[in-house]
Amino acid sequence: MKCHRLNELISLLQPAWQQEPDLNLVQFLQKMADEAGFKQPIEELTDDVLIYHLKMRGSDKSAEIPGLKKDYEDDFKTALLRARGVIKD
């Protein structure tokens, strides 16, 4: 894991975990995995799942996922034409 990802994960994890002081770290990570709908064993939980879940936790279910908003298009036709290179940025 790169250092910036570790720092990002810790900065997101700390305030969320402080709201659940009765849980140890493994219990808290399992809770995050369950909330995110992660069904594999806990040892397969990735930092990406944790980061995106912690970023999106408590937000509207229809809110855009961070990092994907830059690629968002309002309509399918524009998205298709941009993907094929017909429309340039």
Side-chain angles (χ1 to χ4, degrees):
M1 181 185 310
K2 296 181 181 170
C3 202
H4 72 278
R5 291 179 65 82
L6 178 60
N7 291 336
E8 181 179 17
L9 182 57
I10 290 171
S11 70
L12 292 167
L13 193 60
Q14 183 183 12
W17 190 15
Q18 285 177 334
Q19 294 174 0
E20 307 275 349
D22 55 321
L23 300 178
N24 66 43
L25 179 58
V26 174
Q27 291 171 326
F28 185 73
L29 292 175
Q30 183 63 60
K31 180 178 180 177
M32 294 298 98
D34 293 342
E35 285 181 10
F38 189 79
K39 302 296 182 200
Q40 288 99 355
I42 192 75
E43 61 268 10
E44 295 180 23
L45 184 64
T46 64
D47 55 325
D48 290 329
V49 171
L50 287 171
I51 289 170
Y52 281 111
H53 179 65
L54 288 165
K55 282 183 176 182
M56 298 299 292
R57 190 176 189 215
S59 66
D60 184 25
K61 297 289 182 194
S62 63
E64 292 120 359
I65 296 172
L68 296 181
K69 186 175 181 176
K70 64 179 175 46
D71 297 326
Y72 178 77
E73 293 292 343
D74 287 329
D75 67 298
F76 180 75
K77 182 179 177 183
T78 303
L80 186 60
L81 292 173
R82 190 173 311 279
R84 292 187 175 169
V86 175
I87 298 175
K88 305 281 186 203
D89 288 330

